[in-house]
Amino acid sequence: ERAAERAAAEAARRAAAERHLEYIVSDEAAAREAAEAAEAAIRTRERAAARAREESEARLRRILPRASAARRAAAEADEEEARKTARKTQAEAAQRRAREERAAAVGQA
């Protein structure tokens, strides 16, 4: 009878140890799966960031030449406006001198 009890207790201990080992193996598998999922998520984010970076760089490559051309055109327009203003100022000064000279000539006559 005692031998049977010892055998039953040993069988119960073995069964408990096997269940414990199964839990450990199961926990390790779950941890491995979680780590793999985390690594996959990181790779996905890295790919998305790289794609966004490439798209941004491509957008800049498209926009910068147009922006440079627009800046050049604006600078040229400003220069032309400055030249027109200078010509107008010079013409007004010449007209004023001519009027003054005519007035002086009329005054002397």
Side-chain angles (χ1 to χ4, degrees):
E1 192 175 309
R2 280 198 166 143
E5 288 175 1
R6 277 196 299 272
E10 183 60 30
R13 274 194 298 278
R14 240 186 246 123
E18 287 176 10
R19 279 195 307 276
H20 185 64
L21 184 59
E22 288 172 3
Y23 291 142
I24 291 172
V25 170
S26 175
D27 286 348
E28 287 176 355
R32 207 171 20 257
E33 289 173 7
E36 289 169 0
E39 289 171 0
I42 289 169
R43 285 191 300 273
T44 299
R45 281 195 298 275
E46 288 173 346
R47 282 193 302 271
R51 196 168 35 256
R53 199 169 31 255
E54 290 168 3
E55 290 170 1
S56 177
E57 290 170 357
R59 204 168 23 257
L60 283 175
R61 283 192 298 273
R62 285 192 309 272
I63 291 170
L64 285 178
R66 290 192 300 244
S68 295
R71 278 193 301 275
R72 277 193 303 277
E76 290 170 5
D78 288 346
E79 289 172 8
E80 181 59 29
E81 188 62 32
R83 283 192 293 273
K84 286 180 185 176
T85 302
R87 283 194 299 269
K88 182 179 176 186
T89 303
Q90 290 172 351
E92 289 171 350
Q95 289 171 353
R96 190 172 49 251
R97 280 193 303 276
R99 278 194 303 273
E100 291 169 355
E101 290 171 2
R102 279 194 303 273
V106 168
Q108 289 177 358

